[in-house]
């Protein structure tokens, strides 16, 4: 296994990061089976694990904690906070009040005294970024967190956070965790260049485009009866995405690769990408993904991928990604009716 430096932290991590989102009730409820997958990943040289408090409402963190008994020092462990962990409106977000509580919950579930990488799962427009960075700085000084980062932040907020850190002498976001795949290349335009500019590592999620790059979702064919297809029907039935998949499948076949292996190799080929997160639910899923660890794409194949999905573009919506309030709240992009005319 080769290792890459996570931004400028000096921390060495594997190009594949084991994502634990599917461990627990939301995916694989069998704790022992999930632990076997984690152990097999560690034995294969994967030293980077990503989870979050919201994954199966803490159950994923509990599984990871059990799996790492006796092996904690060999793992770069990342977890996240932000999304609601209860009905109380203060059990969520990026406030000092919540983060200082959430980190203790995560430490307890993970059965560890420190988190190597603590990520803010999504932006919080109602919270000053200085409030968040100040809380994270104190957690680092207390030894509970080693490095901090963001997840799915727009480039404007990535840059703002860097400026605030510099002006206020606060801890810097060292990592960004954005979505990235052949079908969603929008971050190539600004987010990945910003990561390079500020020395941030990029650990990308959904390199298989939420399953569309497995080859299971085909144009004109019945859609798999999956939880993702039910949760994101617009995305999984998007004609532009399905058209791209139909053009990518023969390209992978001509290269002697599965579509999934080509997609994973694409994600880790970008110079700004440190690691790509794989999120297996079963051992079969993990074995299939691990089998592609030695795949390297030639410039010819990458050029042909560029011809199908141009650099810096998205083929369609990624419904799990972050949309700022200005996009989802009509009142923020529409003047009052009385002001919508010229004269």
């Amino acid at each position: 296994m080769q290792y890459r430096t996570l931004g400028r932290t000096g921390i060495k991590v594997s190009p594949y990061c084991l994502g634990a989102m599917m461990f627990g009730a939301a995916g694989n409820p069998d704790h022992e089976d999930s632990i076997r997958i984690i152990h097999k990943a560690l034995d294969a040289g994967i030293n980077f694990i990503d989870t979050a408090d919201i994954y199966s409402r803490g159950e994923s963190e509990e599984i990871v904690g059990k799996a790492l008994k006796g092996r904690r020092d060999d793992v770069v462990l990342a977890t996240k906070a932000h999304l609601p962990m209860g009905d109380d409106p203060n059990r969520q977000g990026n406030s000092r009040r919540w983060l200082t509580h959430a980190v203790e919950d995560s430490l307890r579930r993970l059965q560890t005294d420190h988190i190597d990488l603590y990520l803010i799962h999504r932006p919080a427009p109602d919270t000053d970024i200085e409030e968040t960075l100040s809380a994270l700085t104190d957690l680092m000084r207390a030894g509970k967190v080693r490095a901090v980062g963001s997840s799915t932040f727009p480039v404007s907020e990535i840059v703002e956070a860097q400026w605030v850190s510099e002006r206020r002498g606060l801890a810097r976001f060292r990592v960004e965790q954005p979505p990235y795949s052949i079908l969603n290349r929008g971050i190539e335009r600004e987010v990945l260049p910003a990561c390079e500019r500020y020395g941030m590592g990029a650990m990308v999620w959904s390199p298989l485009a939420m399953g569309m790059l497995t080859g299971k979702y085909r144009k004109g064919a019945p859609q798999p009866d999956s939880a993702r297809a039910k949760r994101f029907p617009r995305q999984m039935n998007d004609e532009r995405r399905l058209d791209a998949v139909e053009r990518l499948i023969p390209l992978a076949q001509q290269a002697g690769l599965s579509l999934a292996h080509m997609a994973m190799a694409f994600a880790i080929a970008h110079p700004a990408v440190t690691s790509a997160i794989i999120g297996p639910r079963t051992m079969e899923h993990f074995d299939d993904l691990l089998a592609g660890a030695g795949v390297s794409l030639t410039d010819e194949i990458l050029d042909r991928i560029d011809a199908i999905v141009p650099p810096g573009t998205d083929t369609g919506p990624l419904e799990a990604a972050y949309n700022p309030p200005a996009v989802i709240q009509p009142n923020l992009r529409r003047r009052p009716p009385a002001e919508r005319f010229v004269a």
Side-chain angles (χ1 to χ4, degrees):
M1 182 69 66
Q2 298 186 33
Y3 296 92
R4 300 174 175 183
T5 304
L6 187 61
R8 293 183 189 148
T9 64
I11 300 171
K12 308 298 182 183
V13 295
S14 48
Y16 280 3
C17 173
L18 181 64
M21 186 175 72
M22 300 306 294
F23 299 153
N28 187 346
D30 187 330
H31 285 209
E32 292 305 316
D33 190 43
S34 297
I35 290 170
R36 282 191 290 270
I37 294 172
I38 295 171
H39 286 171
K40 189 165 186 178
L42 298 181
D43 293 340
I46 294 174
N47 74 335
F48 200 9
I49 296 178
D50 174 75
T51 184
D53 55 5
I54 194 63
Y55 296 161
S56 296
R57 289 298 180 97
E59 189 180 3
S60 171
E61 288 184 325
E62 292 174 356
I63 292 171
V64 171
K66 289 191 287 187
L68 295 186
K69 285 184 178 179
R71 306 186 71 167
R72 174 66 184 90
D73 291 343
D74 301 325
V75 174
V76 178
L77 180 59
T79 193
K80 302 181 284 292
H82 165 83
L83 296 171
M85 288 296 287
D87 295 331
D88 185 334
N90 286 312
R91 292 184 60 81
Q92 61 182 297
N94 302 343
S95 69
R96 172 182 288 273
R97 185 182 192 277
W98 173 236
L99 292 177
T100 54
H101 186 95
V103 76
E104 296 295 344
D105 288 345
S106 289
L107 289 169
R108 172 177 48 79
R109 288 188 291 259
L110 291 165
Q111 300 185 53
T112 186
D113 62 356
H114 72 281
I115 294 163
D116 296 300
L117 177 60
Y118 199 47
L119 298 163
I120 302 302
H121 212 152
R122 292 292 188 274
D126 63 352
T127 307
D128 193 323
I129 189 62
E130 184 174 345
E131 170 85 1
T132 302
L133 292 170
S134 176
L136 294 174
T137 301
D138 288 344
L139 293 177
M140 290 181 65
R141 289 171 177 164
K144 297 178 181 181
V145 172
R146 299 291 191 256
V148 296
S150 54
S151 175
T152 323
F153 270 44
V155 68
S156 61
E157 299 200 34
I158 292 173
V159 172
E160 181 186 6
Q162 293 292 326
W163 288 355
V164 169
S165 294
E166 183 177 351
R167 288 199 305 267
R168 301 300 188 190
L170 300 173
R172 291 175 49 204
F173 283 155
R174 295 291 187 173
V175 177
E176 162 61 13
Q177 188 180 111
Y180 183 56
S181 71
I182 294 175
L183 300 183
N184 288 92
R185 303 182 61 175
I187 66 167
E188 293 174 340
R189 191 172 293 275
E190 291 187 296
V191 170
L192 290 180
C195 287
E196 290 182 297
R197 185 179 308 126
Y198 291 108
M200 299 173 67
M203 48 188 300
V204 299
W205 60 268
S206 200
L208 298 181
M210 300 186 70
M212 293 199 75
L213 293 174
T214 62
K216 296 178 182 178
Y217 296 84
R218 302 293 300 270
K219 191 170 185 178
Q223 296 288 4
D225 184 24
S226 68
R228 286 178 179 173
K230 293 175 182 177
R231 185 178 179 187
F232 303 109
R234 184 167 65 96
Q235 174 179 308
M236 298 306 189
N237 290 282
D238 186 88
E239 289 293 320
R240 294 166 296 175
R241 297 169 73 82
L242 291 170
D243 284 342
V245 168
E246 292 302 318
R247 297 176 65 189
L248 290 165
I249 287 175
L251 172 58
Q253 291 173 340
Q254 291 166 20
L257 303 172
S258 72
L259 180 59
H261 290 171
M262 185 175 77
M264 291 300 305
F266 169 85
I268 64 171
H270 194 289
V273 172
T274 309
S275 299
I277 299 172
I278 57 174
R281 180 174 56 84
T282 67
M283 186 67 79
E284 181 183 4
H285 292 164
F286 176 73
D287 286 340
D288 178 65
L289 290 169
L290 190 62
V295 172
S296 175
L297 302 184
T298 64
D299 286 342
E300 179 188 359
I301 295 175
L302 291 170
D303 288 343
R304 293 179 67 183
I305 290 173
D306 288 349
I308 296 170
V309 181
T313 65
D314 295 326
T315 56
L318 184 60
E319 294 173 274
Y322 173 75
N323 280 315
V327 171
I328 61 177
Q329 296 179 25
N331 66 301
L332 296 180
R333 60 179 187 272
R334 298 174 184 173
R335 289 180 177 271
E339 298 178 9
R340 297 177 192 170
F341 53 88
V342 176

